[in-house]
Amino acid sequence: MDNFSYQSPTRYVFGRAAEEQTGKLAAAMGCHKALIVSGGGSARRSGLLGRIEESLRAAGIATLELTGIRPNPTDDRVYEGISLCRAEGVDGIIAVGGGSVIDTAKAIAGGVPYDGDFWDFWAGKAVMEKALPVGVVLTIPAAGSEGSGNSVITKLDGMHKISLRTDYALRPKFAVMNPELTFTLPPEQTAAGIADMMAHIMERYFSPTQEVEVTDRVAEGVLRTIVEEAPKVMARPDDYEARANIMWCGTLAHNGICGCGRREDWASHGLEHVLSALYGVTHGAGLAVVFPAWMTLASETKPAKVAQFGRRVFGIEEEDDSKAAIAAVAALRSFFGSLGLPLTLGELGIKDPDFAAMTAMFHRDKGNPFGAYISLTPKETEAVYRLMV
Ligand code: NZQ
Ligand code: ZN
């Protein structure tokens, strides 16, 4: 096991009617004037946004709004939010939505106190040490941003989709999580969220660090829960208990607990961010195509851990590692397929993939080579992309 330092300071307020506590929680983080960040309209239509505004007002907090944040969020809305916060003296940000909204809120929070271009942090030119406090009202279990220190933003100039990872600065102060708020999700978003949370665990599970049995077992437990609960939420979107399990799995998948004590891979996320940047695909749907392809390469070159994954998560009984690894990839693909997720670039809507451009963009943004479990050079990267057809 590697040495590690792990701090997860977010207060999770989970369950029915949890959103009623938003005002009290925002006041406790020292907020007097809040910017409420939200998406394309689902939170307004459901009445949630109105209830959050009311809860904040009741706690004596003035509010402003930045709305219409789209999936795969872009830097232009971050600049807009930073200007608004500075002009109005905002001292806290409330994100009402999923990863795209939360990541925009986090980027604004980091940009406001910084005397320079917020993108400096994403470009690796500066280290973020402070940010306005961020609170989250989560409406989709997927990105895990409610518990992570990360924010993924696309810079429109050059289409760089980059994940900034902070240890502490961008971890939300609180996350309100009511599973009932997820009943309205369209099935394709529920499924994409499930693929994304599984990917967050697998990025950490496929590690070159040996003998981290406790973290392996935590990861396998969360993965097995997702595999068991996912068919229930797909069949009955208003199954509270199944939605609750999936929602908490999404947080545990990405708040760091599944990575303690070991190096993490993260190549599949990099491969997917290229697809989102170039073709605008839904992040989790892209991962359903990317991860089995990456795992095929892993099963050819380092089958033992893939075999362990297959045996412990999908109950594969094959004793030979190479054969068990191939069966594990098939089981993962079949599981994604059963949720209605795309399995090829064509099914993702990418009819004429430009493999050279995809490979070049991956190494431009991630470096060369990249990946801790399998070190991808352009040759392997292009080979993995070609496995996705
Ligand atoms: O915009 P609205 O109208 O709200 O609709 C959204 C959006 O179209 C809809 N939705 C959300 N909650 C809903 C709902 N529709 C009905 N009922 C509800 N309760 O779902 C759609 C997707 O929303 P989005 O926020 O994009 O989803 P997700 O949480 O999957 O976030 C994806 C983004 O997060 C990044 C991804 O790259 C992508 O940009 N990630 C962020 C991470 C992090 N910060 O730690 C880690 C992840 O690996 C990921 O990369
Ligand atoms: Zn992800």
Side-chain angles (χ1 to χ4, degrees):
M1 192 187 292
D2 294 338
N3 292 358
F4 67 92
S5 162
Y6 176 57
Q7 185 175 18
S8 177
T10 306
R11 173 181 292 277
Y12 301 103
V13 179
F14 194 101
R16 289 188 173 94
E19 67 275 17
E20 289 172 7
Q21 299 185 46
T22 305
K24 196 178 73 183
L25 291 160
M29 73 182 194
C31 179
H32 302 93
K33 193 169 197 181
L35 179 70
I36 304 175
V37 183
S38 63
S42 72
R44 176 63 73 195
R45 282 193 299 277
S46 70
L48 173 65
L49 212 47
R51 298 207 299 285
I52 299 303
E53 285 158 0
E54 183 47 43
S55 174
L56 290 166
R57 261 196 298 274
I61 297 169
T63 60
L64 292 152
E65 289 223 19
L66 183 72
T67 190
I69 303 302
R70 288 205 291 267
N72 302 318
T74 47
D75 59 343
D76 52 339
R77 302 308 309 275
V78 177
Y79 290 116
E80 188 186 337
I82 292 170
S83 301
L84 188 59
C85 288
R86 285 183 181 153
E88 298 285 343
V90 163
D91 57 8
I93 316 231
I94 306 297
V96 183
S100 300
V101 166
I102 302 167
D103 288 359
T104 303
K106 287 176 171 179
I108 295 167
V112 170
Y114 179 60
D115 187 19
D117 182 351
F118 93 92
W119 190 257
D120 287 353
F121 300 116
W122 276 251
K125 292 183 190 160
V127 176
M128 191 183 290
E129 273 152 17
K130 56 182 175 179
L132 293 184
V134 174
V136 170
V137 181
L138 187 66
T139 63
I140 170 172
S145 188
E146 70 281 4
S148 82
N150 301 13
S151 166
V152 186
I153 300 292
T154 299
K155 186 176 178 59
L156 286 168
D157 183 8
M159 295 308 282
H160 298 258
K161 185 173 185 184
I162 305 282
S163 176
L164 171 68
R165 184 172 182 160
T166 68
D167 278 343
Y168 182 78
L170 288 185
R171 291 205 185 240
K173 294 287 174 279
F174 68 83
V176 163
M177 299 169 64
N178 176 355
E180 288 176 337
L181 300 179
T182 70
F183 289 178
T184 52
L185 279 168
E188 62 277 10
Q189 287 295 342
T190 298
I194 287 163
D196 192 17
M197 62 181 79
M198 289 181 79
H200 295 154
I201 305 171
M202 297 186 292
E203 296 278 17
R204 297 170 163 97
Y205 189 79
F206 292 103
S207 162
T209 315
Q210 302 292 314
E211 314 246 356
V212 200
E213 193 63 14
V214 59
T215 304
D216 268 3
R217 293 292 187 182
V218 171
E220 289 156 0
V222 182
L223 284 167
R224 284 184 69 121
T225 308
I226 296 168
V227 169
E228 282 173 20
E229 300 297 316
K232 299 182 195 168
V233 295
M234 296 307 294
R236 249 195 66 202
D238 62 350
D239 180 337
Y240 180 86
E241 299 302 339
R243 285 284 193 190
N245 276 285
I246 287 291
M247 197 174 207
W248 189 231
C249 282
T251 304
L252 295 177
H254 199 41
N255 77 346
I257 197 80
C258 291
C260 288
R262 59 186 177 198
R263 288 173 63 205
E264 303 174 359
D265 189 77
W266 292 104
S268 297
H269 264 68
L271 294 165
E272 194 296 310
H273 285 168
V274 167
L275 302 185
S276 297
L278 280 178
Y279 304 105
V281 305
T282 298
H283 173 62
L287 284 166
V289 176
V290 168
F291 229 106
W294 178 89
M295 215 186 267
T296 301
L297 180 69
S299 63
E300 286 163 6
T301 50
K302 285 176 150 184
K305 195 72 186 269
V306 187
Q308 177 181 309
F309 165 83
R311 292 186 189 112
R312 294 188 183 176
V313 176
F314 284 107
I316 287 162
E317 290 183 355
E318 171 61 51
E319 282 181 18
D320 177 78
D321 276 356
S322 293
K323 287 185 190 160
I326 291 166
V329 178
L332 182 65
R333 285 174 64 90
S334 158
F335 176 71
F336 285 157
S338 74
L339 304 180
L341 285 161
L343 299 174
T344 62
L345 292 177
E347 287 175 13
L348 257 184
I350 304 172
K351 300 294 179 210
D352 192 14
D354 184 342
F355 294 113
M358 287 150 66
T359 302
M361 188 180 258
F362 174 79
H363 288 291
R364 179 198 70 178
D365 289 342
K366 305 304 285 183
N368 180 15
F370 186 80
Y373 187 71
I374 296 182
S375 184
L376 296 178
T377 63
K379 188 164 155 270
E380 285 100 25
T381 302
E382 183 161 340
V384 175
Y385 276 129
R386 287 185 181 278
L387 285 169
M388 298 175 202
V389 291

